[in-house]
Amino acid sequence: MINLQYLMFLPIGIGIILFIIPESLKPIKGVFNLLVSGAVLYFSFLVFKMNSGLLNMECFKFPSVSKYLIFNVDNLSKLIALFIGIFGFLFALYSLSYITKEKAVKGYYSYYLITLGAAFGAVFSDNLIIFIFFWGILGLTLYKLIKGYDEESSSAAKKTLVLIGMSDSVLIMGIGILWQLAGSCNMSEINIATTGTLGIIAFLALLVGSFTKAGAMPFHSWVPDYVKKAPASSSAFLPASLDKLLGIYFLVRICKDIFQLTDWATLMLLIIGAVTIIGAVMMALVQHNYKKLLGYHAVSQVGYMITGIALGSPLGIAAGMFHMINNALYKGGLFLTAGSVEKRTGKDNLDELGGLSKMMPLTFFAALVFALSISGIPPFNGFFSKWMIYQGIIDFGNGTGLANKLWIVWLTLAVLGSALTLASFIKLIAGIYLGRRNKGLEKVKEVSFLMWLPQIIIAIVCIGFGIFAAKLVIPYLIEPVTGKLDYVGIWQSQSVSILILVSIVVGFLIYLYGNMKNHRVSDSFIGGEKIQEETNFSPLDFYQTIKNFKFLSFFYKKAEKKWFDIYDVFKSMILWFNKIFSLAHNGFLPRYVLWYVAGLLILLIILIF
Amino acid sequence: MIIYLLCFILFLVGLYGVISKRNLIKIIISIAIMEYSINLFFILIGYVEGGTAPIITKGFENAKFVDPLPQAMILTSIVIGLATTALLLAVAIRIYQKYGTFDINKIKDLKG
Amino acid sequence: MKGMTFIVKKITQIICPIIFMFGLYIIVHGHLSPGGGFAGGVIMAGAFILQILANGKILPKLRKEEEGLEFMESAAILGFLILAGLGLLISGGVVFFANFLDKGELGKLISGGFIPIENIVIGAEVCAAIATIFIAMVVYKDEEKK
Amino acid sequence: MNSLIPLFIIIPLGSAFVMVILGRFIKNFNKFITPIFMLSLVYLTFHFIINSEGSLIYLVGGHEPVGDVPIAIYLVMDGLTKLILLVISLVGFLAIFYSLSYTKQYTAERKFYVLFSLMIAGMNGVVISGDIFNIFVFLEIAALSSYALIAFGVEKHQLEASFKYQVLGGVASLVILFAIGFIYWNTGTLNIADISRQLNVNSNSLASVGVFLKFISVLLIAGFGLKAAIFPFHSWLPDAHSSAPSPISAMLSGVLIKAVGIYVIIRLFFNMFPLSYELSMTITVLGTISMIIGGLLAIGQWDIKRMLAYSSISQIGYIVLGLGIGMLVLATGGDKAVAALSITGGLFHLLNHSIFKGLLFLSAGAVEYRTGTRDMRKMGGLSEVLPITSRTSLIGSLAISGIPPFNGFFSKLIIIIAAIQAQYYVLAFLAVIVSVITIAYFMKLQKYTFYNNDGSKWKDKKIKEVPFSMSFSMILLSILCVILSLLVIPEVRSVFLQPAVDVLINATDYSTNILGI
């Protein structure tokens, strides 16, 4: 019990105290941050070892508040909390040397710690009111972890908080309806069907909350904008890892505990999942800003998790959750590598980068591992979770509902999404690390120890999770939540890994053997001319054609006009209303008096006659 | 009854003035007219058929008095009206200084 | 601004004290007959205003006058509050606006407890207030000319 | 009888006139005395909140009722009164403390404090008086001083705004007076408790005929609705509140429209009139419309204070929505617990709104004080040069947008949940939409005022943080924004909010409590 309290209130308390320390003492704050997040990691291990059950916290002298302070420590929340602790620590380590720039966010470490505490609060709280309280604080810290130093970044911050705040408001409504329907607002006591108007509204409202946090379509549009301008550690910490963990955690709670999914709900979730996978990855393909590209991938991967959880079977949910953990790992890692690249080069456009692999070998290695993981290449972890999702979909096809009959559609789209992910990551890796070095990049060095260490740790975890998925990871982490899993297919990850390793070694030997013979090295013959800069094709140009493809270009043009951005759609609608009402207020006093009299008369007429 | 109606019509006259007149001073006068109509209304509701002024003097201790309360209220409301009108006029004069006109059509900088 | 003609000035000179006295009469008899502080105060202020209208305005003097009137007004209101507060004190700290004076005999000038005193205070206040408003507007108008 | 009750009127009224006399001779006397008396009012309010229970009555002049007829002027101190008094004195104190530096720009600085005290006296009078005509008189005192305060800078727009407000306010006052005349005509009394008894007990008299009641109610809604800036009577507010000096804007938006508008409406419609479904529905619908229209109008504004002013309309709509749903539930004989929840939400939001809207106006004033403009397009990057102002303003914005852990979140939560529990789902949905719009325009305010560029423009101009008295008020208000969220805890709520809610829930007990019959 006491561990749980430490977990929530220690970071929040220290975070508030850190406000007092002046900004000039940033390194000290960073060390504090690291110590606290280390302690939190320790406590999250302790909590992970705890027995499951509902805990009721005493709140000083207020018995009526204690009634609400119920914390649900079950396998799901323990799992999520453990990973929050891990990520909190790793990113704190990374921040230590990353957050020194001029444009660093004010109060970064305070908000970092408050985020950490609030995330634990949201994960463990059983009462929906307490949950929404912590959930909302996460939106606030998300807003404060980006600095509005120019037009674009302030717009991103604004957009983020508006969308998150929107989801919170809708969530409040959903919680209100749930309370009304179930007579209780403890998640562990609620279990209702998604039938009836109210039930459906409540279900949708809760979904909005979870989707916006996780960044699923159509509420995704804050993610790419946010990650483009935020410090990379903020992006890695919140949109890439914690928000995914929490959003999907809540989705699992919704689908598994709070509601019983009916056919249409499953179908809807699957459609959203598929659209998110494909739509976001298509957007990612044409990005030139690598942070924004990663942002769209952060959206795209949510689609897999939603698909997995929507299946409703233990296998599907396990797949969704495993993918969530994997995604948090490699996406967080990718943002860290992106941050490293940005810190060393100061550029965030793929066109201006290239050939960094020699100068930043460790970062390159980590980025490569993450890119292969996210693209679902065996034996990395991304492959295993995607494979589980495919298994789940195939298994799902045995059912009788409409969604079940369409299983082949979901499967195709999921596989297609995976292929497109690979395509766009080839672009990223090639654009940043391989290819010809652009001007002005000669003096780039590897990042400092504190920055590459977290990247490498995460990369090793990614590999480890991939290799030992079936043997260790799933049984210890996921199966306590979902129960024993039956796989439809067979995947021996260790033996496959060994095979792959052997093939890599053999390939390397062949490469060495080839290099041992002393070849004559000369420029390729191109008609006697010298190699020009222009003849060296950038890998990025291949992707231009996608944009011009006839069918797709229509969508891309619309996307550029922000037709698919729910934020901009509503913004223009509301501004239109605003214009009309503004015209009515023309400052002419007699008109105002007339309104007064007219209002009076209308009220009289309505009420009396 | 007819007198109440007349009183109400006076109120409407004032309201019409506020809505239709463009001159600040005329608007102020219209408000004053509305005020007087309300004052009149108060006096009327306090009236008792055949009543005398509500002043207790010798020999009139138990006479039939009109209701004194509305008169007290009227007195207060007249004072308030005085203050309102004075302030309105003061502001109107100042507006004239700044805008150079009494025309409400031209005094609409604040809008939207 | 110059004043009006000699005739007007002279008549004002004669009539003003009478108006002033009438105002006073109304104030003092406020508890016995229609009228009272407000009506009497307005009449008294009328006497002032008449003077200014007839004799013209000398701005510096008027400004001084305005300050004095402002003072008188506030003092009168304070007096009113103090009277009310005295009721509070005398009734043993319980009743605000307690009529603590002897109510006297019905119909006599000195009767009605502290009502006549309040009336006088109100009269002073209203007289000062209305004169202030008038002078303020006159001063405004002049400022505008400058 | 508690002899301290009239002090709420005596202290500000007396100080106002003492200031006129002594302020002339003693330099800075007004600046010195006003915060002190406001502080004493805060103390008195807390004294009553903590030490007294139920309704306290004070008969001015000590005239005991003759038979059943109350002849004295009643001053009533019950839960609702205490809550509003708390709002007035708290925000009033901080606003006046803020003014100490702010008013240095005016030549007639002394008179500012006099008018301010008069406004406080008027508002206290409205809240404390148990007599409908005295409510009118005090309302006029408060309104007149606010008219004068709006025009205090004697600038072009201030005068225009003041004039518009005066004309509309004058018409509304007359409508109120008209209604009071009708009430007196038909019930023969002005005491709210007595009127309530007449309307409830003598149910076959002319006074309780439906048409008559509705007529009076509509007049009163129109009259006090204008003071509270409910749609369609809101048109004066954006002009007046944006043009006034900033501490006055804070008082007007934060306190005045509640003390003389919302308070009177709820007092009359809960405690005086028998609750009826149609009227409750009317009030709720008006509240909802003004909530939406205010939000939609605010989002397009570029004048920082004008945006805040429109936001006040929207938030007033929220408050009215909460209270109106409570009224509806009570009128239809629904569950009292739901009505209590809804009214709690409304009153809680009222308290919160006064705090954060006061804070926001003060912050906007600080920005204007230093930069000399109110146009957001000319600002940007101010967080670099005005760190305190930018933080307090951010806290205010987050609080009003309903982001935890600030107070606005909880009141919004309670209102929405209450609307759902009362099964007004559409209203709950609209409240959600408006809360989204609220977030949107406050984020716009934050973006364009404090961020958006690196602030080098202001650094070149050597802009400094505002003086102590201004930043002190803002910091205190932003701390209150956090502390007030503790009111969601039932034990704390039972001290501050619950008495007020009880007064409104047990609507018909009011007259028996006051008259003792």
Side-chain angles (χ1 to χ4, degrees):
Chain A
M1 187 65 221
I2 194 81
N3 291 335
L4 202 61
Q5 287 176 6
Y6 278 137
L7 214 49
M8 283 181 266
F9 299 119
L10 178 80
I12 292 182
I14 303 273
I16 290 167
I17 291 168
L18 281 189
F19 276 122
I20 301 164
I21 301 177
E23 286 294 314
S24 48
L25 299 173
K26 197 159 257 159
I28 296 177
K29 285 176 140 184
V31 173
F32 255 103
N33 185 26
L34 186 66
L35 289 177
V36 174
S37 41
V40 164
L41 177 60
Y42 171 69
F43 286 124
S44 63
F45 266 117
L46 289 185
V47 169
F48 189 68
K49 292 261 166 66
M50 258 165 72
N51 292 329
S52 301
L54 289 178
L55 294 173
N56 199 341
M57 201 178 276
E58 288 293 317
C59 180
F60 307 115
K61 290 176 183 171
F62 303 126
S64 52
V65 178
S66 309
K67 193 171 71 186
Y68 291 96
L69 287 177
I70 299 170
F71 293 96
N72 186 359
V73 184
D74 65 0
N75 291 324
L76 176 61
S77 51
K78 281 194 295 194
L79 172 70
I80 304 283
L82 178 66
F83 277 92
I84 291 175
I86 293 171
F87 287 124
F89 179 71
L90 287 176
F91 297 147
L93 198 63
Y94 185 84
S95 306
L96 212 51
S97 70
Y98 180 80
I99 298 291
T100 46
K101 276 196 296 181
E102 273 257 308
K103 283 177 179 172
V105 181
K106 270 182 201 150
Y108 174 84
Y109 292 115
S110 307
Y111 292 116
Y112 189 95
L113 287 176
I114 293 173
T115 309
L116 209 53
F120 285 120
V123 168
F124 283 116
S125 51
D126 188 45
N127 188 290
L128 281 166
I129 304 290
I130 305 292
F131 171 79
I132 181 80
F133 176 71
F134 285 117
W135 191 257
I137 292 179
L138 286 169
L140 161 65
T141 53
L142 184 65
Y143 174 73
K144 287 305 288 178
L145 280 172
I146 178 172
K147 184 184 180 184
Y149 54 86
D150 62 9
E151 169 85 44
E152 207 179 347
S153 58
S154 4
S155 294
K158 175 186 159 199
K159 187 174 180 178
T160 304
L161 192 56
V162 171
L163 277 173
I164 295 281
M166 180 275 297
S167 77
D168 287 353
S169 302
V170 174
L171 200 52
I172 290 179
M173 190 177 73
I175 288 171
I177 296 176
L178 263 189
W179 196 349
Q180 166 86 351
L181 283 178
S184 157
C185 54
N186 292 345
M187 288 193 230
S188 50
E189 291 170 17
I190 302 174
N191 193 353
I192 53 179
T194 49
T195 48
T197 323
L198 283 182
I200 290 170
I201 292 175
F203 177 66
L204 291 179
L206 262 61
L207 277 191
V208 169
S210 132
F211 280 3
T212 315
K213 200 58 124 195
M217 278 186 177
F219 307 103
H220 66 288
S221 54
W222 63 272
V223 179
D225 286 11
Y226 185 88
V227 298
K228 187 178 173 193
K229 279 298 177 182
S233 53
S234 303
S235 314
F237 187 48
L238 270 168
S241 53
L242 249 58
D243 278 351
K244 294 283 173 297
L245 287 173
L246 290 166
I248 300 302
Y249 157 77
F250 191 45
L251 185 65
V252 174
R253 275 261 184 269
I254 295 170
C255 297
K256 205 163 147 274
D257 295 350
I258 300 178
F259 288 100
Q260 302 143 9
L261 293 189
T262 44
D263 276 353
W264 70 267
T266 313
L267 183 64
M268 189 195 71
L269 282 173
L270 281 171
I271 290 173
I272 290 175
V275 168
T276 305
I277 294 175
I278 300 298
V281 85
M282 289 308 286
M283 287 305 293
L285 268 178
V286 296
Q287 296 304 321
H288 284 262
N289 182 303
Y290 57 81
K291 287 173 134 185
K292 216 170 174 183
L293 186 148
L294 291 180
Y296 275 113
H297 276 294
V299 176
S300 164
Q301 298 296 312
V302 177
Y304 285 102
M305 306 169 206
I306 293 171
T307 312
I309 289 159
L311 299 175
S313 60
L315 182 61
I317 290 177
M321 282 174 50
F322 190 42
H323 196 69
M324 162 190 82
I325 290 168
N326 291 339
N327 176 59
L329 282 167
Y330 51 66
K331 190 49 60 57
L334 276 169
F335 275 112
L336 295 191
T337 57
S340 304
V341 170
E342 196 200 11
K343 190 178 172 68
R344 281 295 181 235
T345 64
K347 289 175 178 146
D348 58 0
N349 201 328
L350 285 175
D351 297 331
E352 298 168 357
L353 291 164
L356 288 181
S357 61
K358 282 187 187 141
M359 289 101 106
M360 307 175 78
L362 291 167
T363 308
F364 170 59
F365 166 70
L368 190 63
V369 171
F370 301 142
L372 294 176
S373 296
I374 196 173
S375 322
I377 305 291
F380 299 105
N381 56 356
F383 169 76
F384 195 84
S385 47
K386 277 184 186 168
W387 180 78
M388 279 170 75
I389 290 170
Y390 305 151
Q391 292 291 315
I393 294 174
I394 294 166
D395 190 28
F396 181 68
N398 297 330
T400 49
L402 177 62
N404 303 61
K405 283 181 183 146
L406 289 172
W407 66 277
I408 191 74
V409 178
W410 319 128
L411 188 61
T412 320
L413 289 175
V415 175
L416 178 65
S418 186
L420 291 172
T421 308
L422 180 61
S424 64
F425 270 96
I426 289 173
K427 174 185 177 182
L428 181 92
I429 294 290
I432 298 179
Y433 300 100
L434 305 177
R436 212 183 156 84
R437 191 189 305 155
N438 269 4
K439 274 180 201 160
L441 297 175
E442 288 82 14
K443 288 181 181 168
V444 176
K445 284 182 301 185
E446 180 56 89
V447 284
S448 65
F449 167 74
L450 288 174
M451 284 172 77
W452 63 253
L453 184 67
Q455 298 171 10
I456 297 295
I457 293 176
I458 297 175
I460 291 169
V461 173
C462 274
I463 299 173
F465 270 30
I467 295 174
F468 303 109
K471 259 280 180 317
L472 290 172
V473 182
I474 303 279
Y476 279 101
L477 294 178
I478 311 288
E479 280 187 357
V481 183
T482 55
K484 194 90 182 88
L485 299 175
D486 303 315
Y487 302 105
V488 182
I490 300 161
W491 175 254
Q492 299 282 347
S493 49
Q494 285 100 324
S495 33
V496 172
S497 310
I498 291 164
L499 282 179
I500 290 174
L501 205 63
V502 167
S503 61
I504 288 175
V505 169
V506 170
F508 190 67
L509 287 177
I510 294 171
Y511 173 73
L512 281 183
Y513 175 71
N515 270 11
M516 259 188 270
K517 288 183 183 173
N518 285 325
H519 291 292
R520 179 174 58 95
V521 179
S522 71
D523 289 336
S524 356
F525 180 71
I526 38 173
E529 290 177 28
K530 283 222 162 177
I531 290 182
Q532 298 285 319
E533 195 81 12
E534 293 81 48
T535 53
N536 196 337
F537 276 102
S538 159
L540 308 175
D541 296 338
F542 295 116
Y543 294 87
Q544 286 298 336
T545 48
I546 300 168
K547 224 175 181 175
N548 302 327
F549 191 61
K550 208 166 192 183
F551 171 68
L552 290 178
S553 68
F554 173 76
F555 285 103
Y556 279 120
K557 268 181 196 151
K558 291 283 180 267
E560 260 166 28
K561 283 184 191 160
K562 310 245 175 193
W563 273 38
F564 305 119
D565 189 338
I566 195 167
Y567 173 78
D568 284 278
V569 171
F570 276 101
K571 188 176 164 187
S572 49
M573 252 169 66
I574 284 172
L575 286 181
W576 185 77
F577 274 117
N578 169 264
K579 207 176 267 174
I580 291 177
F581 285 125
S582 277
L583 283 180
H585 291 70
N586 65 350
F588 189 44
L589 179 62
R591 176 185 281 203
Y592 292 167
V593 181
L594 204 60
W595 285 1
Y596 186 83
V597 177
L600 186 59
L601 285 178
I602 289 170
L603 283 185
L604 278 177
I605 290 166
I606 289 175
L607 279 176
I608 293 178
F609 303 109
Chain B
M1 197 60 218
I2 188 97
I3 195 152
Y4 290 108
L5 215 60
L6 285 173
C7 175
F8 187 64
I9 287 171
L10 192 59
F11 185 83
L12 290 183
V13 167
L15 202 58
Y16 169 77
V18 176
I19 292 173
S20 70
K21 290 296 162 202
R22 297 293 180 258
N23 189 309
L24 294 190
I25 303 294
K26 284 184 184 166
I27 289 176
I28 296 170
I29 293 172
S30 308
I31 287 191
I33 292 175
M34 283 163 78
E35 221 168 77
Y36 292 134
S37 79
I38 303 264
N39 291 349
L40 203 57
F41 174 68
F42 265 75
I43 293 295
L44 289 176
I45 60 179
Y47 179 69
V48 177
E49 196 103 353
T52 59
I55 296 162
I56 304 173
T57 42
K58 277 212 179 110
F60 286 96
E61 281 95 344
N62 293 316
K64 196 177 178 189
F65 294 134
V66 297
D67 192 347
L69 199 57
Q71 301 191 5
M73 295 198 306
I74 280 310
L75 210 53
T76 321
S77 108
I78 288 174
V79 176
I80 292 169
L82 174 77
T84 319
T85 315
L87 193 61
L88 266 168
L89 281 171
V91 171
I93 291 173
R94 288 288 198 186
I95 285 183
Y96 186 75
Q97 282 179 6
K98 301 279 177 187
Y99 285 77
T101 175
F102 273 130
D103 189 353
I104 195 79
N105 272 320
K106 287 171 188 148
I107 308 171
K108 45 181 188 182
D109 279 6
L110 297 167
K111 58 186 166 193
Chain C
M1 190 177 93
K2 285 188 300 173
M4 294 190 182
T5 56
F6 176 74
I7 303 171
V8 179
K9 281 184 185 165
K10 205 67 200 172
I11 290 178
T12 314
Q13 240 175 40
I14 298 165
I15 217 169
C16 265
I18 301 173
I19 296 176
F20 198 82
M21 286 309 290
F22 181 60
L24 271 180
Y25 171 84
I26 287 189
I27 292 173
V28 175
H29 286 78
H31 57 298
L32 298 176
S33 61
F38 181 72
V42 172
I43 293 169
M44 275 161 69
F48 274 112
I49 291 169
L50 204 57
Q51 278 284 352
I52 295 168
L53 282 179
N55 291 327
K57 53 184 180 184
I58 309 148
L59 274 178
K61 208 180 156 197
L62 273 185
R63 287 226 176 82
K64 217 174 221 175
E65 202 98 321
E66 192 190 356
E67 281 182 6
L69 284 169
E70 216 174 66
F71 178 85
M72 177 173 158
E73 187 193 349
S74 306
I77 292 185
L78 270 184
F80 186 81
L81 271 177
I82 289 167
L83 270 176
L86 272 179
L88 188 73
L89 288 181
I90 289 171
S91 67
V94 187
V95 187
F96 190 49
F97 271 113
N99 196 343
F100 54 89
L101 292 175
D102 184 25
K103 292 206 181 62
E105 198 185 325
L106 188 67
K108 285 274 160 40
L109 185 60
I110 299 175
S111 66
F114 79 156
I115 302 271
I117 307 173
E118 299 262 288
N119 251 336
I120 290 167
V121 177
I122 291 173
E125 156 15 70
V126 170
C127 169
I130 289 180
T132 316
I133 291 171
F134 181 75
I135 291 173
M137 296 219 174
V138 169
V139 174
Y140 272 170
K141 194 120 199 312
D142 196 76
E143 273 175 1
E144 179 211 324
K145 268 180 198 155
K146 280 175 192 167
Chain D
M1 295 247 286
N2 192 324
S3 57
L4 291 179
I5 294 176
L7 282 183
F8 281 103
I9 301 166
I10 299 172
I11 291 177
L13 203 59
S15 337
F17 294 105
V18 168
M19 273 191 263
V20 175
I21 296 172
L22 291 183
R24 192 190 305 268
F25 305 114
I26 305 167
K27 202 180 167 226
N28 285 341
F29 177 77
N30 295 4
K31 284 189 168 186
F32 178 70
I33 203 82
T34 323
I36 290 180
F37 90 72
M38 285 311 297
L39 207 56
S40 70
L41 286 184
V42 175
Y43 170 75
L44 267 179
T45 316
F46 272 104
H47 167 81
F48 275 106
I49 285 177
I50 290 162
N51 294 336
S52 72
E53 271 178 21
S55 314
L56 297 176
I57 302 149
Y58 187 90
L59 308 181
V60 176
H63 305 291
E64 294 297 331
V66 180
D68 279 0
V69 185
I71 54 169
I73 295 171
Y74 276 55
L75 302 184
V76 178
M77 173 72 82
D78 61 10
L80 185 59
T81 312
K82 285 177 213 162
L83 180 74
I84 310 283
L85 281 176
L86 180 69
V87 169
I88 295 172
S89 45
L90 213 56
V91 180
F93 168 65
L94 292 170
I96 206 68
F97 201 82
Y98 176 95
S99 313
L100 297 182
S101 317
Y102 188 86
T103 52
K104 279 183 185 140
Q105 50 185 309
Y106 300 120
T107 43
E109 213 185 330
R110 270 189 304 123
K111 290 176 183 161
F112 182 88
Y113 296 93
V114 176
L115 285 169
F116 189 89
S117 314
L118 276 177
M119 190 164 80
I120 295 285
M123 287 190 288
N124 277 350
V126 169
V127 173
I128 217 166
S129 155
D131 176 314
I132 193 163
F133 189 74
N134 275 294
I135 286 182
F136 172 75
V137 172
F138 282 116
L139 182 147
E140 284 297 298
I141 292 176
L144 274 173
S145 35
S146 72
Y147 300 150
L149 279 168
I150 287 168
F152 197 76
V154 215
E155 280 159 23
K156 213 175 165 185
H157 292 167
Q158 295 184 332
L159 291 166
E160 183 192 335
S162 175
F163 188 80
K164 284 180 186 168
Y165 182 19
Q166 281 187 52
V167 171
L168 284 163
V171 174
S173 298
L174 293 173
V175 170
I176 293 170
L177 199 57
F178 201 38
I180 292 173
F182 265 104
I183 291 173
Y184 181 73
W185 190 14
N186 285 288
T187 61
T189 177
L190 290 170
N191 192 307
I192 294 176
D194 204 21
I195 295 169
S196 162
R197 190 173 54 121
Q198 302 272 353
L199 295 180
N200 282 316
V201 177
N202 310 342
S203 49
N204 40 9
S205 71
L206 170 68
S208 46
V209 175
V211 173
F212 167 76
L213 265 185
K214 279 175 191 160
F215 181 64
I216 305 278
S217 310
V218 168
L219 289 183
L220 286 173
I221 291 176
F224 290 107
L226 185 124
K227 306 284 175 186
I230 298 175
F231 175 86
F233 316 123
H234 65 281
S235 43
W236 59 272
L237 187 139
D239 296 350
H241 288 200
S242 61
S243 304
S246 287
I248 298 308
S249 307
M251 278 308 280
L252 294 179
S253 253
V255 182
L256 188 90
I257 51 176
K258 303 193 184 73
V260 306
I262 303 286
Y263 164 76
V264 185
I265 288 179
I266 56 179
R267 173 65 88 201
L268 296 184
F269 284 94
F270 275 97
N271 293 142
M272 193 172 93
F273 291 112
L275 289 164
S276 81
Y277 176 76
E278 291 94 339
L279 280 171
S280 323
M281 201 63 195
T282 310
I283 291 175
T284 316
V285 167
L286 287 183
T288 316
I289 296 177
S290 42
M291 178 174 86
I292 296 167
I293 298 244
L296 286 176
L297 276 162
I299 202 160
Q301 300 301 323
W302 288 104
D303 179 333
I304 179 168
K305 279 173 81 177
R306 209 172 166 77
M307 177 185 271
L308 293 178
Y310 274 122
S311 143
S312 284
I313 298 175
S314 172
Q315 299 296 314
I316 284 291
Y318 245 97
I319 298 168
V320 174
L321 174 69
L323 295 165
I325 288 173
M327 215 187 271
L328 272 171
V329 173
L330 284 182
T332 48
D335 187 1
K336 267 198 174 182
V338 176
L341 188 68
S342 176
I343 291 169
T344 309
L347 289 178
F348 191 15
H349 201 70
L350 186 151
L351 181 58
N352 291 344
H353 180 249
S354 66
I355 300 290
F356 46 61
K357 191 46 69 65
L359 171 60
L360 283 165
F361 266 118
L362 295 187
S363 304
V367 169
E368 193 192 354
Y369 187 73
R370 279 302 185 218
T371 64
T373 175
R374 294 206 307 252
D375 192 337
M376 279 186 241
R377 282 168 291 195
K378 292 178 188 155
M379 298 179 193
L382 280 172
S383 65
E384 301 288 325
V385 284
L386 303 172
I388 296 177
T389 311
S390 95
R391 277 176 199 176
T392 53
S393 167
L394 178 67
I395 289 177
S397 304
L398 293 174
I400 198 170
S401 323
I403 306 278
F406 301 107
N407 51 4
F409 168 75
F410 294 104
S411 42
K412 190 178 87 175
L413 183 86
I414 295 177
I415 289 176
I416 292 175
I417 286 182
I420 289 167
Q421 299 225 324
Q423 301 188 340
Y424 293 103
Y425 300 108
V426 179
L427 295 181
F429 181 67
L430 290 173
V432 165
I433 295 226
V434 172
S435 104
V436 178
I437 297 177
T438 310
I439 300 175
Y441 61 76
F442 274 102
M443 284 308 112
K444 176 184 171 183
L445 188 151
Q446 286 299 318
K447 178 193 163 191
Y448 284 100
T449 313
F450 295 107
Y451 303 106
N452 218 12
N453 61 50
D454 55 2
S456 47
K457 179 166 66 168
W458 306 111
K459 278 178 191 156
D460 296 344
K461 286 188 188 166
K462 296 208 168 59
I463 294 212
K464 283 182 300 184
E465 185 51 83
V466 288
F468 167 74
S469 87
M470 289 164 86
S471 51
F472 172 79
S473 295
M474 295 191 295
I475 291 171
L476 216 58
L477 278 170
S478 43
I479 292 172
L480 277 176
C481 273
V482 182
I483 289 180
L484 278 185
S485 49
L486 287 180
L487 275 183
V488 79
I489 298 172
E491 277 82 1
V492 184
R493 199 163 64 203
S494 66
V495 179
F496 290 93
L497 273 179
Q498 204 54 45
V501 177
D502 287 342
V503 170
L504 297 182
I505 288 292
N506 308 316
T508 41
D509 291 357
Y510 179 78
S511 63
T512 29
N513 283 341
I514 303 298
L515 297 176
I517 303 166

